[in-house]
Amino acid sequence: KRDWSSDVCSSDLLKGLGIESVVVTTTPHKILSPSNQIKVVSINRDQNIVIRFIKTALIMAKQGRGKNSLVNGLFYESFLANFLFGFRYTAKVPSDIVWDRARTNRDTTLSVDEYQGQERGAYRYQRWFFKQSLKAAEKVIVPSEHLSTLVSHWGVSQEKISLIRNSQLIPEDKPNFEKTFDAISVGRLIPLKGNAELISVCAKSGYS
């Protein structure tokens, strides 16, 4: 089950700018659009990976025809769509997805910086496709200076990289409310997100 509140908010903002939004995603289950404002195209993740890649590339190229799409994931499929059909896109890079997968699969204990250039086996091919995908993008958005350095290290020109930090839009007419927490963090529990450091700082500062 997915909370679509942030997507609806984003859709409203885009619609206000005259931009219609379509979400293309892979999933083991069919996703229904949460409202008439968001069109969701879901692709079965459990099918043969080659068929899935080609099908996803075709759908992305069709939905993005004549537009510059935003890609936040599906990097390999985006590169394939660009190579075969001239798919144009801006890539949002949330992390080093190759290292992320290696850590998740327990194939490395190295930090993200130590892992650079140490890829082995299938991860070497994944690294190559990830780099090519980012190089093919018209722009690359990163949420931190650390990721900006990594993306530059992967061969993407600095002129193509834009640093846009993750943030939450707070309405100017926000109502008064009673504070419950001193600090709130939203992110996966992986070393790259700095959760341990945040917890340490909050503990030393007496934050809740």
Side-chain angles (χ1 to χ4, degrees), residues 2 10 12 38 40 45 52 95 98 143 156 159 162 168 175:
R2 176 170 178 174
S10 300
D12 288 341
I38 303 176
V40 178
R45 189 187 300 152
R52 190 189 82 200
S95 70
V98 180
V156 178
E159 296 75 23
S162 294
Q168 174 63 48

Side-chain angles (χ1 to χ4, degrees), residues 130-147:
F130 188 35
K131 287 182 178 180
Q132 298 309 309
S133 177
L134 298 184
K135 290 177 182 178
E138 300 196 359
K139 294 287 289 185
V140 177
I141 299 172
V142 294
S144 68
E145 293 177 359
H146 182 212
L147 269 172

